[in-house]
Amino acid sequence: DQQVKQNSPSLSVQEGRISILNCDYTNSMFDYFLWYKKYPAEGPTFLISISSIKDKNEDGRFTVFLNKSAKHLSLHIVPSQPGDSAVYFCAAKEGNTNAGKSTFGDGTTLTVKP
Amino acid sequence: GAGVSQSPRYKVAKRGQDVALRCDPISGHVSLFWYQQALGQGPEFLTYFQNEAQLDKSGLPSDRFFAERPEGSVSTLKIQRTQQEDSAVYLCASSSVAGPSEQYFGPGTRLTVT
């Protein structure tokens, strides 16, 4: 039973347009959410996070939105650039536990076309 | 500064062999995590250390998997009597604090069991 789901395996957008990546979760104990970006042959790199006490967090071209009632979050990239082409993983944590482990989705491959 | 490093980057083992995978976290990082990533999937949690204490090993798939971090810095993930289903990328991550925070990943070790 996958607790974090990214239902779109791939997404293709034109350079300069908005990219929207979606993520759904089932575990109501999750209260901290992160997005990671991964290039081939490299480990995931942290991109942006959001605590469950917020519904939006913005960092430059990247914005994460959280809808707790729907157990849904999304990552918006605007404007999209060819260098954004990578696999994007959504991750969730039960933030108040000592473990700090993250539960990941299976990723969405974003392709930004010049 | 130096990031998380892992060695070897690639390992081919014959079924039944033992393997040892090494992780050098970012200096001073308290928390260290091991994840297993199968092809086309997201990282799956294996185990977590806070300094030298292994606080969570709930993700280890069998007693053939063993991890240690004896001095609270370098960690080794050992897999005994490797099986084909152990073939995956093994990712190590570290973070500076316990609890909710981003993790810094190494490039991973790709293990192929033939």
Side-chain angles (χ1 to χ4, degrees), chain B residues 12-100:
Chain B
V12 178
K14 291 187 177 179
R15 190 172 55 186
Q17 281 185 332
D18 298 349
V19 298
L21 313 180
R22 177 187 169 107
C23 172
D24 282 85
I26 294 173
S27 177
H29 274 195
V30 167
S31 299
L32 185 145
F33 305 82
W34 284 98
Y35 292 87
Q36 180 189 60
Q37 186 176 17
L39 190 64
Q41 297 183 14
E44 284 204 22
F45 172 78
L46 293 177
T47 186
Y48 160 68
F49 291 86
Q50 188 172 322
N51 296 306
E52 68 278 2
Q54 190 175 19
L55 297 186
D56 188 346
K57 52 181 181 179
S58 62
L60 296 176
S62 76
D63 58 7
R64 296 186 296 104
F65 287 71
F66 171 78
E68 60 183 4
R69 193 187 187 198
E71 297 178 359
S73 178
V74 171
S75 177
T76 304
L77 176 67
K78 297 179 179 178
I79 309 173
Q80 297 177 323
R81 305 181 302 281
T82 52
Q83 304 294 316
Q84 281 194 314
E85 62 263 28
D86 301 334
S87 296
V89 175
Y90 290 85
L91 293 163
C92 174
S94 68
S95 68
S96 59
V97 295

Coordinates of all heavy atoms in Angstrom, one line a residue, chain B residues 12-100:
Chain B
V12 N 29.1 -5.4 -8.8 CA 28.5 -6.6 -9.4 C 28.8 -7.8 -8.5 O 30.0 -8.0 -8.2 CB 28.9 -6.9 -10.8 CG1 28.3 -8.2 -11.4 CG2 28.6 -5.7 -11.7
A13 N 27.8 -8.5 -8.0 CA 28.1 -9.6 -7.1 C 27.4 -10.9 -7.7 O 26.3 -10.8 -8.3 CB 27.6 -9.3 -5.7
K14 N 28.0 -12.0 -7.5 CA 27.4 -13.2 -7.8 C 26.4 -13.6 -6.7 O 26.7 -13.3 -5.5 CB 28.4 -14.3 -8.0 CG 29.2 -14.1 -9.3 CD 30.1 -15.3 -9.6 CE 30.8 -15.1 -10.9 NZ 31.8 -16.2 -11.2
R15 N 25.3 -14.2 -7.0 CA 24.3 -14.6 -6.0 C 25.0 -15.4 -5.0 O 25.8 -16.4 -5.2 CB 23.2 -15.4 -6.7 CG 22.0 -15.7 -5.8 CD 20.9 -16.3 -6.6 NE 21.3 -17.5 -7.3 CZ 20.5 -18.2 -8.1 NH1 19.3 -17.8 -8.4 NH2 21.0 -19.3 -8.7
G16 N 24.7 -15.1 -3.7 CA 25.3 -15.8 -2.6 C 26.5 -15.1 -2.0 O 26.9 -15.4 -0.9
Q17 N 27.1 -14.1 -2.7 CA 28.2 -13.4 -2.2 C 27.8 -12.3 -1.2 O 26.6 -11.9 -1.2 CB 29.0 -12.7 -3.3 CG 29.9 -13.5 -4.1 CD 30.7 -12.7 -5.1 OE1 30.2 -11.7 -5.6 NE2 31.9 -13.3 -5.5
D18 N 28.7 -12.0 -0.3 CA 28.4 -10.9 0.7 C 29.0 -9.6 0.1 O 30.0 -9.6 -0.6 CB 29.1 -11.1 2.0 CG 28.6 -12.4 2.7 OD1 27.6 -12.9 2.3 OD2 29.2 -12.8 3.7
V19 N 28.3 -8.5 0.3 CA 28.8 -7.2 -0.1 C 28.7 -6.2 1.0 O 27.9 -6.3 1.9 CB 27.9 -6.6 -1.3 CG1 28.0 -7.5 -2.5 CG2 26.5 -6.4 -1.0
A20 N 29.6 -5.1 0.9 CA 29.6 -4.1 1.9 C 29.6 -2.7 1.2 O 30.5 -2.5 0.3 CB 30.8 -4.2 2.8
L21 N 28.7 -1.9 1.5 CA 28.6 -0.6 0.8 C 28.9 0.5 1.8 O 28.3 0.5 3.0 CB 27.1 -0.4 0.3 CG 26.6 -1.6 -0.5 CD1 25.1 -1.3 -1.0 CD2 27.5 -2.0 -1.7
R22 N 29.7 1.5 1.4 CA 30.1 2.5 2.4 C 29.5 3.8 2.1 O 29.3 4.2 1.0 CB 31.6 2.6 2.3 CG 32.3 3.7 3.2 CD 33.8 3.8 2.9 NE 34.3 5.0 3.5 CZ 35.1 5.0 4.5 NH1 35.5 3.8 5.1 NH2 35.6 6.1 5.1
C23 N 29.2 4.6 3.2 CA 28.7 5.9 3.1 C 29.5 6.9 4.0 O 29.7 6.6 5.2 CB 27.2 5.9 3.5 SG 26.5 7.6 3.6
D24 N 30.0 8.0 3.4 CA 30.6 9.0 4.1 C 29.7 10.2 4.2 O 29.6 10.9 3.1 CB 32.0 9.4 3.5 CG 33.1 8.4 3.8 OD1 33.2 7.4 3.0 OD2 33.8 8.7 4.7
P25 N 29.1 10.5 5.3 CA 28.1 11.6 5.3 C 28.8 13.0 5.4 O 30.0 13.0 5.5 CB 27.3 11.4 6.6 CG 28.4 10.7 7.5 CD 29.2 9.9 6.6
I26 N 28.1 14.0 5.2 CA 28.6 15.4 5.4 C 29.1 15.5 6.9 O 28.4 15.1 7.8 CB 27.6 16.4 5.1 CG1 27.2 16.3 3.6 CG2 28.0 17.8 5.5 CD1 26.1 17.2 3.1
S27 N 30.3 16.0 7.0 CA 30.9 16.1 8.3 C 30.0 16.9 9.3 O 29.5 18.0 9.0 CB 32.2 16.9 8.2 OG 32.8 17.0 9.5
G28 N 29.8 16.3 10.5 CA 29.0 16.9 11.5 C 27.5 16.6 11.4 O 26.8 16.9 12.3
H29 N 27.1 15.9 10.4 CA 25.7 15.6 10.3 C 25.3 14.4 11.2 O 26.0 13.4 11.3 CB 25.3 15.1 8.8 CG 25.0 16.3 8.0 ND1 24.4 16.2 6.8 CD2 25.2 17.6 8.1 CE1 24.2 17.4 6.2 NE2 24.7 18.3 7.0
V30 N 24.3 14.7 12.0 CA 23.9 13.8 13.1 C 23.2 12.6 12.6 O 23.4 11.4 13.0 CB 23.0 14.6 14.1 CG1 22.3 13.6 15.0 CG2 23.8 15.6 14.8
S31 N 22.3 12.8 11.6 CA 21.4 11.8 11.1 C 21.9 11.2 9.8 O 22.4 11.9 8.9 CB 20.0 12.3 10.9 OG 19.5 12.8 12.1
L32 N 21.7 9.8 9.7 CA 22.2 9.1 8.5 C 21.1 8.1 8.2 O 20.6 7.4 9.0 CB 23.5 8.5 8.7 CG 24.2 7.8 7.5 CD1 25.7 7.9 7.5 CD2 23.8 6.3 7.3
F33 N 20.8 8.1 6.9 CA 19.7 7.2 6.4 C 20.2 6.3 5.2 O 21.0 6.8 4.4 CB 18.5 8.0 5.8 CG 18.0 9.0 6.8 CD1 18.6 10.3 7.0 CD2 16.8 8.7 7.5 CE1 18.1 11.2 7.9 CE2 16.3 9.7 8.4 CZ 16.9 10.9 8.6
W34 N 19.7 5.1 5.1 CA 19.9 4.3 4.0 C 18.6 4.0 3.3 O 17.6 3.8 4.0 CB 20.5 2.9 4.4 CG 22.0 3.0 4.7 CD1 22.6 3.0 5.9 CD2 23.1 2.9 3.7 NE1 24.0 3.0 5.8 CE2 24.3 2.9 4.5 CE3 23.2 2.8 2.3 CZ2 25.5 2.9 3.9 CZ3 24.4 2.8 1.7 CH2 25.6 2.8 2.5
Y35 N 18.6 4.1 2.0 CA 17.4 3.9 1.2 C 17.8 2.9 0.1 O 18.9 2.8 -0.4 CB 16.9 5.1 0.5 CG 16.3 6.1 1.5 CD1 17.1 7.1 2.1 CD2 14.9 6.2 1.7 CE1 16.5 8.1 2.9 CE2 14.4 7.1 2.6 CZ 15.2 8.0 3.2 OH 14.6 9.0 4.1
Q36 N 16.8 2.1 -0.4 CA 16.9 1.2 -1.5 C 16.0 1.7 -2.6 O 14.8 2.0 -2.4 CB 16.5 -0.2 -1.1 CG 16.6 -1.2 -2.2 CD 16.0 -2.6 -1.8 OE1 14.8 -2.6 -1.5 NE2 16.8 -3.6 -1.8
Q37 N 16.5 1.9 -3.8 CA 15.7 2.4 -4.9 C 15.8 1.4 -6.1 O 16.8 1.2 -6.7 CB 16.2 3.7 -5.4 CG 15.3 4.3 -6.5 CD 15.7 5.7 -6.9 OE1 16.8 6.2 -6.7 NE2 14.8 6.4 -7.6
A38 N 14.6 0.8 -6.3 CA 14.5 -0.2 -7.5 C 14.2 0.7 -8.7 O 13.8 1.8 -8.7 CB 13.4 -1.1 -7.2
L39 N 14.5 0.1 -9.9 CA 14.3 0.8 -11.1 C 12.9 1.3 -11.3 O 11.9 0.5 -11.1 CB 14.7 -0.2 -12.3 CG 14.8 0.4 -13.7 CD1 16.0 1.4 -13.7 CD2 15.1 -0.6 -14.7
G40 N 12.8 2.6 -11.6 CA 11.5 3.1 -11.9 C 10.6 3.4 -10.6 O 9.5 3.8 -10.7
Q41 N 11.2 3.3 -9.5 CA 10.5 3.6 -8.2 C 11.2 4.6 -7.4 O 12.4 5.0 -7.7 CB 10.4 2.3 -7.4 CG 9.6 1.2 -8.1 CD 9.4 0.0 -7.3 OE1 9.7 0.0 -6.1 NE2 8.9 -1.1 -7.9
G42 N 10.6 5.1 -6.4 CA 11.2 6.0 -5.5 C 12.0 5.3 -4.4 O 11.9 4.1 -4.3
P43 N 12.9 6.1 -3.8 CA 13.7 5.5 -2.7 C 12.8 4.9 -1.6 O 11.8 5.5 -1.2 CB 14.5 6.7 -2.2 CG 14.5 7.6 -3.3 CD 13.2 7.5 -4.0
E44 N 13.2 3.7 -1.1 CA 12.4 3.1 0.0 C 13.3 3.1 1.3 O 14.5 2.6 1.2 CB 12.0 1.7 -0.3 CG 10.8 1.8 -1.3 CD 9.9 0.5 -1.2 OE1 10.0 -0.2 -0.2 OE2 9.2 0.2 -2.2
F45 N 12.8 3.5 2.4 CA 13.6 3.6 3.6 C 14.1 2.2 4.1 O 13.3 1.2 4.1 CB 12.7 4.2 4.7 CG 13.3 4.2 6.1 CD1 14.3 5.1 6.5 CD2 12.9 3.2 7.0 CE1 14.8 5.0 7.8 CE2 13.4 3.2 8.3 CZ 14.4 4.1 8.7
L46 N 15.3 2.1 4.5 CA 15.9 0.9 5.0 C 16.1 1.1 6.5 O 15.6 0.3 7.4 CB 17.2 0.5 4.4 CG 17.1 0.1 2.9 CD1 18.5 -0.2 2.3 CD2 16.2 -1.2 2.7
T47 N 17.0 2.1 6.9 CA 17.4 2.2 8.3 C 17.8 3.6 8.5 O 18.2 4.4 7.6 CB 18.4 1.2 8.7 OG1 18.7 1.2 10.1 CG2 19.7 1.4 7.9
Y48 N 17.9 4.0 9.9 CA 18.2 5.4 10.3 C 19.1 5.3 11.5 O 18.9 4.6 12.4 CB 16.9 6.1 10.6 CG 17.0 7.3 11.4 CD1 17.6 8.5 11.0 CD2 16.5 7.3 12.7 CE1 17.7 9.6 11.7 CE2 16.5 8.5 13.5 CZ 17.2 9.6 13.0 OH 17.2 10.7 13.8
F49 N 20.1 6.2 11.5 CA 21.0 6.3 12.6 C 21.0 7.8 13.1 O 20.9 8.7 12.3 CB 22.5 6.0 12.2 CG 22.8 4.6 11.9 CD1 22.6 4.1 10.6 CD2 23.3 3.8 12.9 CE1 22.8 2.8 10.4 CE2 23.6 2.5 12.6 CZ 23.3 1.9 11.4
Q50 N 21.0 7.9 14.4 CA 21.3 9.3 15.0 C 22.6 9.1 15.7 O 22.6 8.4 16.7 CB 20.1 9.7 15.9 CG 20.3 11.1 16.3 CD 19.0 11.6 17.1 OE1 17.9 11.3 16.7 NE2 19.2 12.4 18.1
N51 N 23.6 9.8 15.2 CA 25.0 9.5 15.7 C 25.3 8.0 15.5 O 25.1 7.5 14.4 CB 25.2 10.0 17.1 CG 25.0 11.5 17.2 OD1 25.7 12.2 16.5 ND2 24.1 11.9 18.1
E52 N 25.7 7.3 16.5 CA 26.0 5.9 16.3 C 24.9 5.0 16.6 O 24.9 3.8 16.4 CB 27.2 5.5 17.2 CG 27.0 5.5 18.7 CD 27.1 6.9 19.3 OE1 27.3 7.9 18.6 OE2 26.9 7.0 20.6
A53 N 23.8 5.5 17.1 CA 22.6 4.7 17.5 C 21.7 4.4 16.3 O 21.3 5.4 15.6 CB 21.9 5.4 18.6
Q54 N 21.4 3.2 16.1 CA 20.5 2.8 15.0 C 19.1 2.9 15.6 O 18.7 1.9 16.4 CB 20.8 1.4 14.5 CG 20.1 1.0 13.3 CD 20.5 -0.3 12.7 OE1 21.1 -1.1 13.4 NE2 20.2 -0.6 11.4
L55 N 18.4 3.9 15.3 CA 17.1 4.1 16.0 C 15.9 3.5 15.2 O 14.8 3.3 15.8 CB 16.8 5.7 16.1 CG 17.8 6.4 16.9 CD1 17.3 7.9 17.1 CD2 18.0 5.8 18.3
D56 N 16.1 3.2 14.0 CA 15.0 2.6 13.2 C 15.6 1.7 12.1 O 16.4 2.1 11.3 CB 14.1 3.7 12.6 CG 12.9 3.2 11.9 OD1 12.7 1.9 11.7 OD2 12.0 4.0 11.6
K57 N 15.3 0.4 12.2 CA 15.7 -0.5 11.1 C 14.5 -1.3 10.6 O 14.7 -2.4 10.0 CB 16.8 -1.5 11.6 CG 16.5 -2.2 12.9 CD 17.6 -3.1 13.3 CE 17.3 -3.9 14.5 NZ 18.5 -4.8 14.9
S58 N 13.4 -0.6 10.7 CA 12.1 -1.3 10.3 C 12.1 -1.6 8.8 O 11.3 -2.4 8.3 CB 10.9 -0.4 10.7 OG 11.0 0.8 10.0
G59 N 12.9 -0.9 8.0 CA 12.8 -1.0 6.5 C 13.7 -2.1 6.0 O 13.7 -2.5 4.8
L60 N 14.6 -2.7 6.8 CA 15.5 -3.7 6.3 C 14.7 -4.9 5.9 O 13.9 -5.4 6.7 CB 16.5 -4.1 7.4 CG 17.5 -3.0 7.8 CD1 18.4 -3.4 9.0 CD2 18.3 -2.5 6.6
P61 N 14.8 -5.4 4.6 CA 13.9 -6.4 4.1 C 14.1 -7.8 4.7 O 13.2 -8.6 4.7 CB 14.2 -6.4 2.6 CG 15.5 -5.8 2.5 CD 15.7 -4.9 3.6
S62 N 15.3 -8.1 5.2 CA 15.5 -9.4 5.8 C 16.7 -9.3 6.7 O 17.4 -8.3 6.8 CB 15.7 -10.5 4.7 OG 17.1 -10.3 4.2
D63 N 16.9 -10.4 7.5 CA 18.1 -10.4 8.4 C 19.4 -10.6 7.6 O 20.5 -10.7 8.2 CB 17.9 -11.5 9.5 CG 17.8 -12.9 8.9 OD1 17.9 -13.1 7.6 OD2 17.5 -13.8 9.6
R64 N 19.3 -10.6 6.3 CA 20.6 -10.6 5.5 C 21.2 -9.2 5.4 O 22.3 -9.0 5.0 CB 20.4 -11.2 4.1 CG 19.9 -12.6 4.1 CD 19.8 -13.1 2.6 NE 18.8 -12.5 1.8 CZ 19.1 -11.5 0.9 NH1 20.3 -11.2 0.7 NH2 18.1 -11.0 0.2
F65 N 20.4 -8.2 5.8 CA 20.8 -6.8 5.7 C 21.2 -6.3 7.1 O 20.4 -6.5 8.0 CB 19.6 -6.0 5.1 CG 19.4 -6.1 3.7 CD1 18.8 -7.3 3.2 CD2 19.7 -5.1 2.8 CE1 18.5 -7.4 1.8 CE2 19.4 -5.2 1.4 CZ 18.8 -6.4 1.0
F66 N 22.3 -5.7 7.1 CA 22.9 -5.2 8.4 C 23.5 -3.9 8.2 O 24.3 -3.7 7.2 CB 23.8 -6.3 9.0 CG 24.6 -5.8 10.2 CD1 24.0 -5.8 11.4 CD2 25.9 -5.4 10.1 CE1 24.7 -5.4 12.5 CE2 26.6 -5.0 11.2 CZ 26.0 -5.0 12.4
A67 N 23.3 -2.9 9.0 CA 24.0 -1.6 8.9 C 24.6 -1.2 10.2 O 24.1 -1.6 11.3 CB 23.0 -0.6 8.4
E68 N 25.7 -0.5 10.1 CA 26.4 0.0 11.3 C 27.0 1.4 11.1 O 27.3 1.8 9.9 CB 27.5 -1.0 11.7 CG 28.6 -1.2 10.7 CD 29.6 -2.3 11.1 OE1 29.4 -2.9 12.2 OE2 30.6 -2.5 10.4
R69 N 27.2 2.1 12.2 CA 27.8 3.4 12.1 C 28.5 3.6 13.5 O 28.1 4.3 14.3 CB 26.7 4.5 12.0 CG 27.2 5.9 11.6 CD 26.1 6.9 11.6 NE 26.6 8.2 11.2 CZ 26.0 9.3 11.4 NH1 24.8 9.4 12.0 NH2 26.5 10.5 10.9
P70 N 29.6 2.8 13.7 CA 30.2 2.6 15.0 C 30.7 3.9 15.6 O 30.7 4.0 16.9 CB 31.3 1.6 14.7 CG 31.6 1.7 13.3 CD 30.3 2.0 12.6
E71 N 31.2 4.9 14.9 CA 31.7 6.1 15.5 C 30.9 7.3 15.2 O 31.3 8.4 15.4 CB 33.2 6.3 15.0 CG 34.1 5.1 15.5 CD 35.5 5.3 15.0 OE1 35.8 6.3 14.3 OE2 36.3 4.4 15.3
G72 N 29.7 7.1 14.7 CA 28.8 8.2 14.4 C 29.1 9.0 13.2 O 28.6 10.1 13.0
S73 N 29.9 8.4 12.3 CA 30.3 9.1 11.1 C 30.0 8.2 9.9 O 28.9 8.1 9.5 CB 31.7 9.6 11.2 OG 32.1 10.3 9.9
V74 N 31.1 7.5 9.5 CA 31.0 6.6 8.3 C 30.0 5.5 8.7 O 30.0 5.0 9.8 CB 32.3 6.1 8.0 CG1 32.2 4.9 6.9 CG2 33.3 7.2 7.5
S75 N 29.2 5.1 7.6 CA 28.3 3.9 7.8 C 28.6 2.9 6.8 O 29.0 3.2 5.6 CB 26.9 4.4 7.8 OG 26.0 3.4 7.9
T76 N 28.3 1.7 7.1 CA 28.4 0.5 6.2 C 27.1 -0.2 6.2 O 26.6 -0.6 7.2 CB 29.6 -0.4 6.6 OG1 30.8 0.4 6.7 CG2 29.7 -1.5 5.5
L77 N 26.6 -0.5 5.0 CA 25.5 -1.4 4.8 C 26.0 -2.7 4.2 O 26.7 -2.7 3.2 CB 24.5 -0.8 3.8 CG 23.2 -1.6 3.5 CD1 22.3 -1.8 4.7 CD2 22.5 -1.0 2.3
K78 N 25.7 -3.8 4.9 CA 26.2 -5.1 4.5 C 25.0 -6.0 4.1 O 24.0 -6.0 4.8 CB 27.0 -5.7 5.7 CG 28.3 -5.0 6.1 CD 29.0 -5.6 7.2 CE 30.3 -4.8 7.6 NZ 31.0 -5.4 8.7
I79 N 25.2 -6.6 3.0 CA 24.2 -7.6 2.6 C 24.8 -8.9 2.5 O 25.8 -9.1 1.7 CB 23.6 -7.2 1.2 CG1 23.1 -5.7 1.2 CG2 22.4 -8.1 0.9 CD1 22.7 -5.2 -0.1
Q80 N 24.3 -9.9 3.2 CA 24.9 -11.2 3.2 C 24.1 -12.1 2.2 O 22.9 -11.9 2.0 CB 24.8 -11.8 4.6 CG 25.7 -11.1 5.6 CD 25.5 -11.7 7.0 OE1 24.4 -12.1 7.4 NE2 26.6 -11.7 7.8
R81 N 24.8 -13.0 1.6 CA 24.2 -14.0 0.7 C 23.3 -13.3 -0.3 O 22.0 -13.6 -0.3 CB 23.5 -15.1 1.5 CG 24.3 -15.8 2.6 CD 23.6 -16.8 3.4 NE 22.4 -16.3 4.0 CZ 22.4 -15.6 5.2 NH1 23.6 -15.4 5.8 NH2 21.3 -15.2 5.7
T82 N 23.8 -12.4 -1.1 CA 23.0 -11.6 -2.0 C 22.1 -12.5 -2.9 O 22.5 -13.6 -3.3 CB 23.9 -10.7 -2.8 OG1 24.9 -11.5 -3.5 CG2 24.5 -9.6 -2.0
Q83 N 20.9 -11.9 -3.1 CA 19.9 -12.5 -4.0 C 19.7 -11.6 -5.2 O 19.9 -10.4 -5.1 CB 18.6 -12.8 -3.3 CG 18.8 -13.7 -2.0 CD 19.2 -15.1 -2.4 OE1 18.7 -15.7 -3.3 NE2 20.2 -15.6 -1.6
Q84 N 19.1 -12.1 -6.3 CA 18.8 -11.2 -7.4 C 17.9 -10.1 -7.1 O 18.1 -9.0 -7.6 CB 18.2 -12.1 -8.6 CG 19.3 -12.8 -9.3 CD 18.8 -13.4 -10.6 OE1 17.7 -13.9 -10.7 NE2 19.6 -13.2 -11.7
E85 N 17.0 -10.3 -6.2 CA 16.0 -9.2 -5.8 C 16.7 -8.1 -5.0 O 16.1 -7.1 -4.8 CB 14.8 -9.8 -5.0 CG 15.2 -10.4 -3.7 CD 15.3 -11.9 -3.8 OE1 15.6 -12.4 -4.9 OE2 15.1 -12.6 -2.8
D86 N 18.0 -8.3 -4.6 CA 18.7 -7.2 -3.9 C 19.2 -6.2 -4.9 O 19.7 -5.2 -4.5 CB 19.9 -7.8 -3.1 CG 19.4 -8.8 -2.1 OD1 18.2 -8.7 -1.6 OD2 20.2 -9.6 -1.7
S87 N 19.2 -6.5 -6.2 CA 19.7 -5.6 -7.2 C 18.9 -4.3 -7.2 O 17.7 -4.3 -7.3 CB 19.6 -6.2 -8.6 OG 20.4 -7.3 -8.7
A88 N 19.6 -3.2 -7.0 CA 19.0 -1.9 -6.8 C 20.1 -0.8 -6.7 O 21.3 -1.2 -6.6 CB 18.1 -1.9 -5.6
V89 N 19.7 0.4 -6.6 CA 20.6 1.5 -6.2 C 20.4 1.7 -4.7 O 19.2 1.9 -4.2 CB 20.3 2.8 -7.0 CG1 21.2 3.9 -6.4 CG2 20.6 2.6 -8.4
Y90 N 21.5 1.7 -3.9 CA 21.4 2.0 -2.5 C 21.9 3.4 -2.3 O 23.0 3.7 -2.6 CB 22.2 0.9 -1.8 CG 21.6 -0.4 -1.8 CD1 21.8 -1.3 -2.9 CD2 20.7 -0.9 -0.8 CE1 21.2 -2.5 -3.0 CE2 20.0 -2.1 -0.9 CZ 20.3 -2.9 -2.0 OH 19.6 -4.1 -2.1
L91 N 21.0 4.2 -1.7 CA 21.3 5.6 -1.5 C 21.5 5.8 0.0 O 20.8 5.3 0.9 CB 20.1 6.4 -1.9 CG 19.8 6.5 -3.4 CD1 18.4 7.0 -3.7 CD2 20.8 7.4 -4.1
C92 N 22.5 6.6 0.3 CA 22.7 7.1 1.6 C 22.4 8.6 1.7 O 22.7 9.3 0.7 CB 24.2 6.8 2.0 SG 24.7 7.5 3.6
A93 N 21.8 9.0 2.8 CA 21.5 10.5 3.0 C 21.9 10.9 4.4 O 21.9 10.0 5.3 CB 20.1 10.7 2.7
S94 N 22.2 12.1 4.6 CA 22.5 12.6 5.9 C 21.8 13.9 6.1 O 21.4 14.6 5.1 CB 24.0 12.8 6.2 OG 24.6 13.8 5.4
S95 N 21.5 14.3 7.3 CA 21.0 15.6 7.7 C 21.6 16.1 9.0 O 22.0 15.3 9.8 CB 19.4 15.5 7.7 OG 19.0 14.8 8.8
S96 N 21.5 17.4 9.1 CA 22.2 18.0 10.2 C 21.5 17.8 11.6 O 22.1 18.0 12.6 CB 22.5 19.5 10.0 OG 21.3 20.1 9.7
V97 N 20.2 17.6 11.5 CA 19.4 17.5 12.7 C 18.5 16.4 12.7 O 18.2 15.8 11.6 CB 18.6 18.8 13.0 CG1 19.5 20.0 13.3 CG2 17.7 19.1 11.8
A98 N 18.0 16.0 13.8 CA 16.9 14.9 13.8 C 15.6 15.6 13.5 O 15.5 16.8 13.7 CB 16.9 14.3 15.2
G99 N 14.6 14.8 13.2 CA 13.3 15.4 12.9 C 13.2 16.0 11.5 O 13.9 15.6 10.6
P100 N 12.2 16.8 11.3 CA 11.9 17.2 9.9 C 12.9 18.2 9.3 O 13.1 19.3 9.8 CB 10.5 18.0 10.1 CG 10.5 18.4 11.5 CD 11.3 17.4 12.3

